[in-house]
Amino acid sequence: MVNKNKTGEVIIMRLAIEHYINPLHIYCRLRDFGISKALGLAICRTYERYVFRYFLP
């Protein structure tokens, strides 16, 4: 049986993508990998400035 309501699925997918590309999420994953706070912040600030702001209006 195919779900005919694709709108709900699209919204859920968008929310998941927004979560994973969020700079705070990326910072937390960098910290989990053992990167220092200062380097993690620098990477995420750069990421937010040059990449993230183009994904979401």
Side-chain angles (χ1 to χ4, degrees):
M1 183 174 196
V2 175
N3 184 0
K4 295 184 180 186
N5 184 3
K6 300 291 183 190
T7 306
E9 293 173 6
V10 171
I11 291 171
I12 291 171
M13 179 64 81
R14 179 181 169 103
L15 291 174
I17 291 170
E18 286 178 12
H19 172 76
Y20 287 114
I21 67 171
N22 186 318
L24 180 60
H25 179 81
I26 292 175
Y27 171 77
C28 291
R29 298 298 70 81
L30 290 173
R31 293 290 292 148
D32 287 346
F33 286 128
I35 292 178
S36 69
K37 289 181 184 181
L39 181 57
L41 283 172
I43 291 170
C44 286
R45 283 185 185 133
T46 304
Y47 166 74
E48 185 174 13
R49 184 175 297 136
Y50 296 109
V51 178
F52 180 71
R53 71 179 181 160
Y54 295 108
F55 281 111
L56 301 175

